[in-house]
């Protein structure tokens, strides 16, 4: 079973986020286990301090390395990247990482993987974590969040829906945007005429071959118009 361990100073962030929709269903079906751990449990001082001032001066605080290394070691048995068990990934959420995309979601969705998600806060995480512990440094886009928690949830959601059986029979990840390098085709539902805006006739025709052709062309046209960079790739 795929397992996510999230290391965070706000485990409560995930309580409701992992308890709705497809993620909840996948957990209930035993396809994925998701556990949020409080980073402070791996501190050794009385006040459970996880941050400190940056060497060299400057604003803000930095997450200390000791509790993070201790946490990863407690969860995986390894305190350095090269000692991690097979199929184990330690992902640092970071504005400076590789930008998350469907290909990485697919890569992470291997069913027997163990994925540790490290959520930064404040000015970020002591660089020795990225240097010696993490296998992947991942950003969800070129903007700065206050913490890695929303980014971790984005990754969990995108990965879980790719697990075989996670989506109900009514939906499938196969035809979705990015799965074939294109955006999804336009979708319509009833009524066929809404305030004079009509659903394309082909979709009402019942001719499955024609509908498949229409969808393929519409997906291409939409991708060309909205995301031509995908076609260039
Ligand atoms: N000083 C850092 C910088 O300029 O790159 C930003 C730190 S940010 C305020 C605090 C934490 O939020 C980061 O350590 C990271 O875990 C998370 N974070 C911020 N932006 C992110 C993004 N685009 N993708 C993933 N995580 C992000």
């Amino acid at each position: 079973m795929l397992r996510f361990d999230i290391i965070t100073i706000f485990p409560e962030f995930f309580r409701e986020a992992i308890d709705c929709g497809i993620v909840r269903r996948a957990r209930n079906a035993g396809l994925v286990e998701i556990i949020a751990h409080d980073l402070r449990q791996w501190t050794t001082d009385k006040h459970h301090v996880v941050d400190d001032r940056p060497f060299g001066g400057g604003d803000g605080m930095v997450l200390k390395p000791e509790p993070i290394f201790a946490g990863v070691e407690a969860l995986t048995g390894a305190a350095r990247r090269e000692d991690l068990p097979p199929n184990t990934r330690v992902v640092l959420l970071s504005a400076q990482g590789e930008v998350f995309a469907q290909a990485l979601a697919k890569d992470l969705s291997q069913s027997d993987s163990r994925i540790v998600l490290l959520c930064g806060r404040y000015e970020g995480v002591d660089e020795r974590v990225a240097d010696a512990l993490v296998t992947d440094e991942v950003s969800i886009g070129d903007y700065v969040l206050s913490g890695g928690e929303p980014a971790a949830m984005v990754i969990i959601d995108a990965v879980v829906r790719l697990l075989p059986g996670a989506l109900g029979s009514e939906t499938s990840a196969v035809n979705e945007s990015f799965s074939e390098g294109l955006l999804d085709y336009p979708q319509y539902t009833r009524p066929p005429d809404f305030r004079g805006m009509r659903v394309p006739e082909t979709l009402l025709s019942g001719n499955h071959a024609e509908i498949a052709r229409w969808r393929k062309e519409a997906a291409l046209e939409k991708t060309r118009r909205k995301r031509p960079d995908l076609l260039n790739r």
Side-chain angles (χ1 to χ4, degrees):
M1 191 203 306
L2 179 66
R3 174 171 165 156
F4 286 101
D5 289 287
I6 308 155
I7 298 183
T8 168
I9 59 168
F10 294 120
E12 64 272 24
F13 178 94
F14 296 93
R15 210 174 292 142
E16 291 186 11
I18 64 170
D19 203 25
C20 49
I22 283 163
V23 174
R24 174 195 168 102
R25 200 165 64 190
R27 289 173 59 227
N28 289 343
L31 301 175
V32 62
E33 189 170 7
I34 305 169
I35 305 172
H37 306 268
D38 189 341
L39 175 64
R40 293 186 198 279
Q41 73 188 275
W42 291 297
T43 54
T44 50
D45 64 300
K46 191 166 82 190
H47 300 291
H48 303 294
V49 174
V50 291
D51 58 328
D52 208 337
R53 281 193 292 273
F55 277 126
D59 290 337
M61 303 295 271
V62 175
L63 283 181
K64 292 156 64 63
E66 304 97 310
I68 296 178
F69 275 78
V72 172
E73 187 166 24
L75 292 170
T76 68
R80 292 189 76 86
R81 181 169 40 232
E82 55 271 25
D83 300 329
L84 288 168
N87 301 329
T88 301
R89 311 273 282 258
V90 179
V91 176
L92 174 65
L93 285 318
S94 157
Q96 302 165 19
E98 166 190 359
V99 177
F100 187 60
Q102 194 72 1
L104 182 54
K106 201 160 182 202
D107 189 24
L108 293 175
S109 71
Q110 304 315 309
S111 58
D112 54 350
S113 298
R114 177 96 188 256
I115 302 170
V116 180
L117 297 170
L118 302 177
C119 302
R121 277 274 155 180
Y122 315 124
E123 286 307 311
V125 179
D126 186 288
E127 194 69 20
R128 287 165 287 191
V129 171
D131 287 346
L133 194 55
V134 311
T135 58
D136 305 81
E137 191 172 346
V138 179
S139 162
I140 60 160
D142 291 342
Y143 40 80
V144 177
L145 301 166
S146 309
E149 289 78 9
M153 199 54 228
V154 165
I155 290 176
I156 290 169
D157 190 293
V159 170
V160 166
R161 61 184 291 108
L162 293 177
L163 297 175
L167 302 183
S169 53
E170 77 279 10
T171 40
S172 156
V174 174
N175 292 321
E176 286 185 326
S177 295
F178 312 112
S179 60
E180 303 282 331
L182 296 179
L183 300 181
D184 198 2
Y185 49 77
Q187 306 273 11
Y188 297 91
T189 185
R190 276 191 279 257
D193 187 335
F194 173 65
R195 298 185 178 181
M197 294 178 277
R198 286 197 53 78
V199 171
E201 287 304 325
T202 311
L203 298 180
L204 308 175
S205 69
N207 181 331
H208 294 297
E210 278 294 310
I211 290 171
R213 202 172 9 254
W214 183 90
R215 285 180 165 165
K216 197 166 182 184
E217 279 169 20
L220 254 173
E221 189 281 323
K222 203 178 198 190
T223 309
R224 204 175 288 127
R225 182 162 41 87
K226 291 187 162 182
R227 290 292 306 273
D229 57 300
L230 293 177
L231 293 176
N232 296 336
R233 272 186 234 160

